[in-house]
Amino acid sequence: QTVVTQEPSLTVSPGGTVTLTCASNTGAVTSAYYPAWFQQKPGQAPRALIYSTSNKHSWTPARFSGSLLGGKAALTLSDVQPEDESDYYCVLYYGATWVFGGGTKLTVL
Amino acid sequence: QLQLQESGPGLVKPSETLSLTCSVSGGSISSHTYYWGWIRQPPGKGLEYIGFVSYSGGTYYSPSLKSRLTISVDSSKNQFTLSLISVTATDTALYYCGRLGSYLSEVDWGQGTLVTVSS
């Protein structure tokens, strides 16, 4: 069974920088997994932030960036704002299906 | 502007079939550019991919749900449906319908509909 793993929770101070990661139990995550990232706030549908590792949607703030880091997909938030407090989900492509990670709850404190 | 709206029963009995419809407005479901399908989120838990289909007939189902799942497109009504058979309490979730571009280059979701599996 394919499992995608994210940090369950992270805390960052306003103005700081934080990196969320996304790992696969099948091995190193590469661009062939087309990593994508979503932000979800309570009571809302998930909002797409990043696709194909590092591409931003038109509405994605510049402080969000995607990359590959140490065999994982990564989402880096720079100059974190209070409104960035949210759940973040990565999703990876496995040929004929996608698998979501368990999500990271980001607290801005 | 594309709009997606889920509809269907909010309560389904165990062992029965969960059926949901997603009505599409502001865009054609007959487009070969997009994929149409569903994700879900159990209460208080994370997102789970269910499956998507292309208008041309390609299916991209979750392996864990594939044996119980059918997603079909009805171009005459500009809508698509989810059918999940033999449901149990673990199928209780908020179900979102969605439209995806290639490799998630575009993503649109409905507002979600809660389905509870209970007798």
Side-chain angles (χ1 to χ4, degrees):
Chain A
Q1 182 183 354
T2 302
V3 177
V4 177
T5 301
Q6 300 181 242
E7 297 86 0
S9 63
L10 291 170
T11 300
V12 61
S13 300
T17 297
V18 65
T19 296
L20 289 63
T21 67
C22 177
S24 172
N25 69 339
T26 60
V29 175
T30 67
S31 58
Y33 286 80
Y34 297 93
W37 292 90
F38 291 84
Q39 178 190 61
Q40 188 182 34
K41 297 192 176 182
Q44 297 182 15
R47 182 175 76 141
L49 293 173
I50 300 286
Y51 66 96
S52 295
T53 306
S54 59
N55 293 284
K56 298 179 186 181
H57 293 276
S58 58
W59 54 83
T60 304
R63 61 182 181 274
F64 290 81
S65 63
S67 65
L68 296 175
L69 195 63
K72 301 179 184 180
L75 176 70
T76 299
L77 287 69
S78 305
D79 187 24
V80 172
Q81 301 298 303
E83 60 265 30
D84 297 334
E85 183 164 292
S86 184
D87 293 328
Y88 291 86
Y89 294 91
C90 70
V91 63
L92 301 178
Y93 181 65
Y94 289 88
T97 190
W98 294 83
V99 179
F100 280 99
T104 296
K105 183 176 184 63
L106 181 67
T107 300
V108 181
L109 198 59
Chain B
Q1 183 177 352
L2 184 78
Q3 291 193 327
L4 304 167
Q5 180 64 58
E6 305 90 348
S7 60
L11 181 63
V12 181
K13 289 183 168 56
S15 80
E16 296 191 344
T17 297
L18 184 161
S19 295
L20 294 174
T21 297
C22 183
S23 299
V24 180
S25 59
S28 173
I29 205 166
S30 303
S31 170
H32 290 270
T33 307
Y34 297 106
Y35 302 83
W36 308 89
W38 303 84
I39 65 172
R40 69 182 182 182
Q41 186 168 33
K45 297 188 178 181
L47 301 173
E48 181 182 10
Y49 176 88
I50 298 174
F52 279 73
V53 299
S54 65
Y55 178 72
S56 57
T59 59
Y60 305 85
Y61 289 171
S62 166
S64 64
L65 296 172
K66 188 174 183 177
S67 63
R68 301 193 290 131
L69 177 65
T70 302
I71 298 173
S72 58
V73 170
D74 185 342
S75 58
S76 67
K77 296 181 179 178
N78 216 39
Q79 64 186 30
F80 57 99
T81 59
L82 163 72
S83 178
L84 188 66
I85 67 171
S86 305
V87 296
T88 69
T90 59
D91 294 309
T92 293
L94 184 61
Y95 285 75
Y96 293 99
C97 67
R99 182 188 78 168
L100 304 181
S102 177
Y103 301 113
L104 307 187
S105 56
E106 296 179 64
V107 180
D108 295 282
W109 303 116
Q111 64 185 20
T113 187
L114 179 63
V115 179
T116 301
V117 178
S118 175
S119 56

